[in-house]
Amino acid sequence: MENCELEYGAAARLKEGVLDPGLCSGCGACVGFCPYIKSYNERVAIIHNCQICEGICYRICPRGFTQYMSLRREVFGAADFDPVLGAHKEIYFARAAEEKIRSCGQYGGVVSALSVFALKEGFIESILMTGGNVKGTKPVLVSSASGVTECAGSKYTAAPTLRLFQDAVRKGYQKIGVVGRPCQVTASRKMQQASEINGQCISLVIGLFCMGSFSPEFYTFINMKDLGSYDRMDIPKDVHFRGSGQEIIIPFEEMRQFIRNACLSCYDPLSELADISVGSTEYDPDWNALILRTTKGSELVEQACASGYIEIKPYPPELLPILRKAVFRRKKRVLERPDFTYLNLSAQEREYFLSTGDDD
Ligand SMILES: Cc1cc2nc3c(=O)[nH]c(=O)nc-3n(C[C@H](O)[C@H](O)[C@H](O)COP(=O)(O)OP(=O)(O)OC[C@H]3O[C@@H](n4cnc5c(N)ncnc54)[C@H](O)[C@@H]3O)c2cc1C
Ligand code: SF4
Ligand code: SF4
């Protein structure tokens, strides 16, 4: 086949380059359209030695070799590029206007409010989300406001949400949204380039901030410590489990062992390739940090504000250096790792992080 760089099947490359070395982020992109790749309990495995060279599983994997600079160009054109925060137009504090959504959201409920608005106004016809609870995640294809709020709240494990993309296509949806971790955002952009799987149907990508997710061993810990009855989790610093008016706090150091191996070499804590990125403010749990990146993302937010779905206010200028420093340090640390080989970055970008002490 023309342009085929592989001497052997794409699945073999996925196995040897991503799955065997423990670099799979559990995004779910390779699962769902291929009968030979399965996910079980947030672990992904190839169950048959597929020889197809043109198979796209490796191509759409965020941990497969990724032409990051051309992906950025594809999404942002020639927009100004900030090596720390990624391409962006504006950055705000934001929250859902409706108390009902705020109360079920992780912080300000911005992801839920924007998703409800995007469905209602026809930006999208359905959206891939993550339901479930601390005992287990559940990828869900959502097409209603009630479906969105049922998925509200962060589950800090690697739900393979993208495995439902083919279901959405089979159901005839042509404008499909994605809410995902940064690795899932990268996978979504790679999928958009794959017409064989109708990737062009992905039409809105809402990315979360993410510094790491827990491996399946986390669930053993939950059972052992009898934490399954808590329905909410948060990690402001240590790990908080909340439910029925009660809260238990586990020191983060006790949980560090469960950080997924793939997360240690993750270069993108802010979902740089998303239309909009949403995270905590690290300052006020009733609000979100909101980064507008693409024109589509800006239009969605502008219309959602005008229609009373979300409220925004300026990102406090004194907090911006704190965010930048955290991201700078993360990227620098990752660039220094020998297993960081899956993204092609420019020499200038590497130099920016490796030659300076901080984000000066
Ligand atoms: C594994 C993980 C790690 C995170 N780490 C950070 C961090 O270090 N710093 C930070 O500022 N923010 C982090 N976040 C993001 C933060 O927890 C909130 O998701 C974000 O601020 C949106 O808040 P909200 O109130 O708008 O969410 P909501 O309105 O409650 O919406 C949350 C959305 O997240 C989706 N979701 C839930 N769990 C997952 C999952 N495991 N994978 C994919 N999607 C999921 C749901 O579909 C839901 O739509 C993390 C999120 C996850 C899932
Ligand atoms: S990172 Fe995603 S695409 Fe890659 S192997 Fe894991 S689940 Fe599949
Ligand atoms: S740290 Fe990176 S690899 Fe890990 S879940 Fe978050 S985005 Fe995915």
Side-chain angles (χ1 to χ4, degrees), residues 105-112 129-130 151-157 159 161 179-181 184 208-213 278-280 282 288:
Q106 181 68 14
Y107 300 118
V110 165
V111 169
S112 298
M129 299 194 124
T130 301
C151 289
S154 300
K155 297 92 198 170
Y156 287 93
T157 49
T161 325
V179 172
R181 308 180 302 277
Q184 296 179 308
L208 306 173
F209 292 8
C210 179
M211 288 280 186
S213 68
V278 189
S280 79
E282 303 276 346
N288 289 104

Side-chain angles (χ1 to χ4, degrees), residues 142-280:
V142 172
S143 56
S144 67
S146 61
V148 169
T149 46
E150 276 165 28
C151 289
S154 300
K155 297 92 198 170
Y156 287 93
T157 49
T161 325
L162 294 175
R163 78 173 159 77
L164 291 186
F165 175 69
Q166 284 308 304
D167 284 8
V169 170
R170 273 193 289 272
K171 287 187 172 150
Y173 292 120
Q174 293 185 359
K175 290 196 280 179
I176 301 164
V178 173
V179 172
R181 308 180 302 277
C183 51
Q184 296 179 308
V185 168
T186 301
S188 301
R189 292 307 188 193
K190 295 179 91 173
M191 287 162 77
Q192 276 180 324
Q193 297 180 329
S195 55
E196 309 93 302
I197 56 162
N198 297 294
Q200 70 284 357
C201 292
I202 295 178
S203 62
L204 178 70
V205 184
I206 300 179
L208 306 173
F209 292 8
C210 179
M211 288 280 186
S213 68
F214 292 131
S215 66
E217 287 72 24
F218 164 83
Y219 295 120
T220 313
F221 177 86
I222 292 291
N223 287 332
M224 212 174 67
K225 296 269 183 181
D226 211 10
L227 293 169
S229 59
Y230 291 87
D231 46 21
R232 300 295 292 259
M233 256 182 91
D234 190 14
I235 317 186
K237 194 161 175 279
D238 290 321
V239 184
H240 295 232
F241 292 86
R242 298 181 185 125
S244 312
Q246 294 196 308
E247 180 172 49
I248 184 164
I249 302 173
I250 311 263
F252 187 79
E253 279 317 309
E254 208 178 314
M255 308 290 283
R256 187 183 288 282
Q257 57 180 313
F258 302 123
I259 295 275
R260 223 175 152 96
N261 191 47
C263 301
L264 303 177
S265 54
C266 180
Y267 182 71
D268 176 17
L270 301 183
S271 286
E272 280 185 35
L273 299 176
D275 290 303
I276 57 169
S277 303
V278 189
S280 79

Side-chain angles (χ1 to χ4, degrees), residues 43-112:
R43 288 189 177 87
V44 174
I46 296 174
I47 58 167
H48 171 72
N49 182 18
C50 162
Q51 302 289 328
I52 301 173
C53 164
E54 312 86 311
I56 62 158
C57 53
Y58 182 81
R59 198 182 347 137
I60 61 173
C61 173
R63 291 316 167 89
F65 185 68
T66 302
Q67 298 287 357
Y68 208 49
M69 291 187 296
S70 73
L71 266 188
R72 280 173 174 154
R73 270 196 303 278
E74 192 87 16
V75 179
F76 303 110
D80 277 352
F81 172 68
D82 173 342
V84 180
L85 304 182
H88 63 279
K89 295 174 186 293
E90 307 283 351
I91 170 162
Y92 295 110
F93 270 20
R95 66 176 186 179
E98 207 184 307
E99 162 59 25
K100 205 174 96 197
I101 295 190
R102 282 209 301 272
S103 63
C104 63
Q106 181 68 14
Y107 300 118
V110 165
V111 169
S112 298

